[in-house]
């Protein structure tokens, strides 16, 4: 992660924002894995209002890097910047390989990287219903074992 020379004000503002943030809602279904996930909109809903309240802007510029040896494929990079009104900032970037340079492939990679980059920078995670499901299954097994 990179940051401005001074980062005390943005660190304090981010801590205040994080104190009000909730988990991102797993509101989308992934039929391939029969699971739910929090999409980019849910991640933004969980953190943007609280960041904005503390005068922190989110900037996520994407880039496509195409190595010379792989003309038909490439790497998508998304930087995530949190910029405070003081001018102080935090930034990081994530990369993903893409099989081709079709707009939909690149767009999907950008969305994915934005979601995970922002989640990491803001310090939020999706709400976890896996623990609830595991507990429920354990209780069901206990009932089945009872005489």
């Amino acid at each position: 992660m990179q940051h401005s020379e001074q980062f005390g004000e943005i660190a304090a503002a981010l801590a205040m924002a994080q104190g009000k943030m909730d988990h991102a809602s797993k509101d989308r279904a992934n039929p391939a894995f029969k699971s739910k996930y929090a999409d980019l909109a849910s991640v933004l809903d969980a953190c943007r209002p609280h960041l904005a309240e503390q005068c922190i802007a989110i900037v996520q510029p994407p880039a496509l890097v195409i190595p010379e040896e792989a003309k038909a494929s490439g790497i998508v990079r998304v930087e995530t910047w949190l910029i405070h009104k003081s001018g102080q900032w935090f930034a990081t970037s994530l990369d993903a390989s893409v099989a081709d340079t079709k707009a939909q492939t690149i767009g999907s990679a950008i969305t994915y990287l934005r979601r995970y980059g922002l989640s990491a920078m803001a310090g939020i995670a999706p709400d976890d219903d896996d623990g609830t499901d595991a507990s429920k299954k354990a209780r069901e097994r206990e009932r089945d074992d009872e005489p």
Side-chain angles (χ1 to χ4, degrees), residues 6-59:
Q6 302 293 318
F7 55 88
E9 288 185 54
I10 189 172
L14 182 57
M16 294 290 291
Q18 287 175 334
K20 294 182 178 184
M21 289 180 199
D22 203 355
H23 299 291
S25 298
K26 286 185 177 179
D27 56 1
R28 295 287 185 240
N30 183 339
F33 294 104
K34 297 180 182 167
S35 63
K36 292 189 154 214
Y37 69 96
D39 67 357
L40 177 58
S42 293
V43 172
L44 285 164
D45 287 347
C47 66
R48 185 171 37 198
H50 307 295
L51 292 170
E53 187 177 284
Q54 297 299 320
C55 299
I56 299 174
I58 304 163
V59 179

Side-chain angles (χ1 to χ4, degrees), residues 1-4 6-8 10-12 14 80-84 88-92 121:
M1 184 175 80
Q2 300 172 319
H3 54 79
S4 55
Q6 302 293 318
F7 55 88
I10 189 172
L14 182 57
T80 299
W81 291 70
L82 298 181
I83 306 169
H84 188 250
Q88 296 176 1
W89 53 270
F90 292 127
T92 193
M121 290 290 284

Side-chain angles (χ1 to χ4, degrees), residues 79-102:
E79 296 178 351
T80 299
W81 291 70
L82 298 181
I83 306 169
H84 188 250
K85 70 177 182 177
S86 66
Q88 296 176 1
W89 53 270
F90 292 127
T92 193
S93 65
L94 291 175
D95 295 349
S97 298
V98 290
D100 59 61
T101 56
K102 293 179 183 167

